[in-house]
Amino acid sequence: QVQLVESGGGLVQAGGSLRLSCAASGTIFSLNAMGWYRQAPGKQRELVATITSGGNTNYADSVKGRFTISRDNAKNTVYLQMNSLKPEDTAVYYCNADLGGWYRDTWGRGTQVTVSS
């Protein structure tokens, strides 16, 4: 069974850093675009950052200059390095990936990130 598993969330003070990881497992047809989204309480899920198979990246304006998305194709893993965290970054962060075949829009279960002021 194909799945995405996130890790690395937690509680951090404002100004701190966290690194999220998302590993794809199972029978993967192809490892295409991957990305991170987040959903804060009472708000819609929003895009944080994406990265193509070729390494092209895209960021939400709110995280530009603070977050960095990267990937290790050999490990089927995407990362999100989050620096200078703010309380408004508090949310559940979800990994998304196009894994080809029937799994072109696969989501992880999410990992909680809480930033205290």
Side-chain angles (χ1 to χ4, degrees), residues 15-73:
S17 298
L18 283 175
R19 189 192 193 207
L20 305 184
S21 299
C22 171
S25 63
T27 303
I28 299 169
F29 292 92
S30 59
L31 195 62
N32 303 312
M34 306 181 79
W36 290 94
Y37 293 74
R38 67 186 181 187
Q39 187 166 18
K43 295 187 177 181
Q44 290 188 330
R45 190 173 298 188
E46 63 177 4
L47 178 146
V48 176
T50 60
I51 185 167
T52 67
S53 58
N56 293 319
T57 59
N58 180 54
Y59 295 92
D61 288 343
S62 59
V63 306
K64 282 181 180 176
R66 300 188 298 122
F67 291 10
T68 302
I69 189 170
S70 61
R71 61 192 288 165
D72 185 336
N73 293 331

Side-chain angles (χ1 to χ4, degrees), residues 1-20:
Q1 181 179 356
V2 173
Q3 60 178 353
L4 297 172
V5 179
E6 301 103 333
S7 61
L11 173 64
V12 64
Q13 288 189 332
S17 298
L18 283 175
R19 189 192 193 207
L20 305 184

